Amino acid sequence: MDLRRLAVVAALLAAAAVAAEGYNITKILAEHPEYSQFNKLLTETRLAGDINRRRTITVLVVSNGDMGALAGGHYTLPTLRHILEMHILVDYYGAKKLHQLSRGDTASSSMFQESGSAPGTTGYVNITQHRGGRVSFTAEDAADSATPSSFVKSVKEIPYDLAVLQISKPLSSPEAEAPVAPPAPVNITELLSKKYCKSFAGLLAANADVFSNINATKDNGLTLFCPVDAAVDAFMPKFKNLTAKGKAAILLYHAVPDYYSLQLLKSNSGKVSTLATSSVAKKDYSYDVQNDRDTVTLDTRVNTASVTATVKDDDPLAIYAITKFLQPKELFKVTEDLAPAPAPESPKKKTKKKPATTSAAAAPSDDDSAADSPDDASADDTADKAGAAPSVLATWMIAAASAAAALALAA
């Protein structure tokens, strides 16, 4: 194999790895302490997750010493989100592209414009190349007296997917800086009781710590999956057998600390963490969100539930009714061998099981599985070894790269 073919194969495999793994803006900026304040605000405004879900994006970051009013607590969280959205361009602008603008300038749409909160063209950012190679950024609605923000350096680039660029100061945008009215208060218990989930609402209300945790999260981004009443009734015998710690964990397991619209759930697959993940030390408490056309399912490795109805879908809160009470692998026996999930169209193969040689019974399947204590060692070992099934997109990309590599070798 010559060097040219080796280079082709290496490039294909690298592209597949990036597509499969994606990127994490929080981890990228964590490697640069000089952007810690900007990174913190991306997390607090929930923009970090929105950035990670995009395939093509440019993030204009500002160093701690240049944050100005953004670091002074002058803005509410909703207003801060709009300001930061102005610093996220929905196109790729690496350093090379910035210095090769065809006409010397261009206008790029920001996430603020894309959100629908920016009227007219106020969510656009003008990028201008000046003599000597200097590049500046200006919000479309910036006052005439406002000075542009200058390109300082490239922090991180994944060609044509992600560019993280440092600019000299925050962009000035009167429309983004305008005060945002706080969302109307939401009574989660009342909302659940009116639609599909009265029994689950009762379980949440009966656990003060769980309810307080969920209620405190709802204004900053929360997706709650509530089992319908029939599902709660069917699960109650097992729920009663859990320890107090296990009951709290399984209730928090139904809450994801981020806002996921129904459209996003239908168009993306992947692993999500829950409030139980952050509440129980050294435990995973995650599950896979999968979709097949318009059907959204949640796979815990113990059982699978489907989303059947929308109770509320209004940023920052989404609540969906589901067909089963979710059972985490940290509390219940995983019913199948830990192997990659088959393609959605392929039928599941039945495997023969050897008869038990001890007095312990084989793990029952789905809703007939026996509940274990949250401190059960075997359940913890299983959870630590269990890996999330790869997303459909990642699997497809890896397969495509492998095929392309094979063609290159055969050429």
Side-chain angles (χ1 to χ4, degrees), residues 152-240:
V152 176
K153 66 178 181 179
S154 173
V155 179
K156 173 78 173 181
E157 294 185 19
I158 301 176
Y160 314 114
D161 284 334
L162 170 72
V164 182
L165 311 176
Q166 180 184 344
I167 58 177
S168 59
K169 65 176 185 177
L171 299 177
S172 174
S173 169
E175 191 66 40
E177 295 163 12
V180 179
V186 175
N187 186 318
I188 289 184
T189 303
E190 181 179 346
L191 189 61
L192 294 177
S193 298
K194 288 181 178 179
K195 294 186 176 182
Y196 315 110
C197 307
K198 184 176 181 179
S199 298
F200 189 70
L203 293 179
L204 295 181
N207 193 314
D209 291 338
V210 168
F211 183 79
S212 176
N213 195 338
I214 291 177
N215 202 47
T217 308
K218 73 178 190 299
D219 293 332
N220 294 323
L222 177 70
T223 300
L224 184 64
F225 296 103
C226 64
V228 295
D229 291 342
V232 175
D233 292 343
F235 184 73
M236 280 309 294
K238 296 176 184 176
F239 183 82
K240 292 177 180 178

Side-chain angles (χ1 to χ4, degrees), residues 64-236:
N64 294 342
D66 297 321
M67 288 286 284
L70 292 184
H74 300 290
Y75 302 106
T76 62
L77 208 57
T79 301
L80 272 174
R81 180 181 171 90
H82 283 175
I83 296 173
L84 292 179
E85 284 176 336
M86 282 294 301
H87 294 73
I88 305 170
L89 310 182
V90 293
D91 199 355
Y92 174 80
Y93 288 96
K96 182 178 180 180
K97 183 177 179 179
L98 285 180
H99 292 94
Q100 293 180 345
L101 296 177
S102 58
R103 293 176 296 177
D105 61 16
T106 189
S108 178
S109 178
S110 69
M111 285 189 70
F112 182 45
Q113 168 66 31
E114 194 178 67
S115 71
S117 300
T121 60
T122 57
Y124 283 86
V125 175
N126 296 317
I127 308 173
T128 307
Q129 183 182 2
H130 303 272
R131 291 181 179 178
R134 186 174 68 88
V135 177
S136 65
F137 299 83
T138 309
E140 177 67 27
D141 64 326
D144 294 338
S145 59
T147 57
S149 181
S150 300
F151 168 69
V152 176
K153 66 178 181 179
S154 173
V155 179
K156 173 78 173 181
E157 294 185 19
I158 301 176
Y160 314 114
D161 284 334
L162 170 72
V164 182
L165 311 176
Q166 180 184 344
I167 58 177
S168 59
K169 65 176 185 177
L171 299 177
S172 174
S173 169
E175 191 66 40
E177 295 163 12
V180 179
V186 175
N187 186 318
I188 289 184
T189 303
E190 181 179 346
L191 189 61
L192 294 177
S193 298
K194 288 181 178 179
K195 294 186 176 182
Y196 315 110
C197 307
K198 184 176 181 179
S199 298
F200 189 70
L203 293 179
L204 295 181
N207 193 314
D209 291 338
V210 168
F211 183 79
S212 176
N213 195 338
I214 291 177
N215 202 47
T217 308
K218 73 178 190 299
D219 293 332
N220 294 323
L222 177 70
T223 300
L224 184 64
F225 296 103
C226 64
V228 295
D229 291 342
V232 175
D233 292 343
F235 184 73
M236 280 309 294

Side-chain angles (χ1 to χ4, degrees), residues 17-74:
V18 170
E21 296 178 7
Y23 47 77
N24 187 314
I25 187 63
T26 302
K27 290 184 178 180
I28 291 172
L29 293 182
E31 298 176 0
H32 304 273
E34 63 270 31
Y35 310 123
S36 60
Q37 293 183 18
F38 192 93
N39 195 17
K40 180 173 179 287
L41 291 181
L42 287 181
T43 300
E44 291 179 350
T45 57
R46 297 180 291 106
L47 280 172
D50 292 341
I51 292 171
N52 295 340
R53 286 189 286 268
R54 299 297 295 257
R55 287 261 50 89
T56 305
I57 208 84
T58 297
V59 183
L60 306 177
V61 301
V62 181
S63 67
N64 294 342
D66 297 321
M67 288 286 284
L70 292 184
H74 300 290

Side-chain angles (χ1 to χ4, degrees), residues 214-282:
I214 291 177
N215 202 47
T217 308
K218 73 178 190 299
D219 293 332
N220 294 323
L222 177 70
T223 300
L224 184 64
F225 296 103
C226 64
V228 295
D229 291 342
V232 175
D233 292 343
F235 184 73
M236 280 309 294
K238 296 176 184 176
F239 183 82
K240 292 177 180 178
N241 286 335
L242 291 172
T243 64
K245 181 180 177 182
K247 290 177 181 177
I250 202 170
L251 292 176
L252 291 173
Y253 187 63
H254 289 75
V256 177
D258 201 353
Y259 166 73
Y260 287 92
S261 67
L262 186 59
Q263 181 181 4
L264 186 61
L265 291 176
K266 288 182 177 180
S267 59
N268 289 272
S269 298
K271 178 179 177 180
V272 295
S273 298
T274 66
L275 284 181
T277 305
S278 57
S279 300
V280 183
K282 298 180 180 180

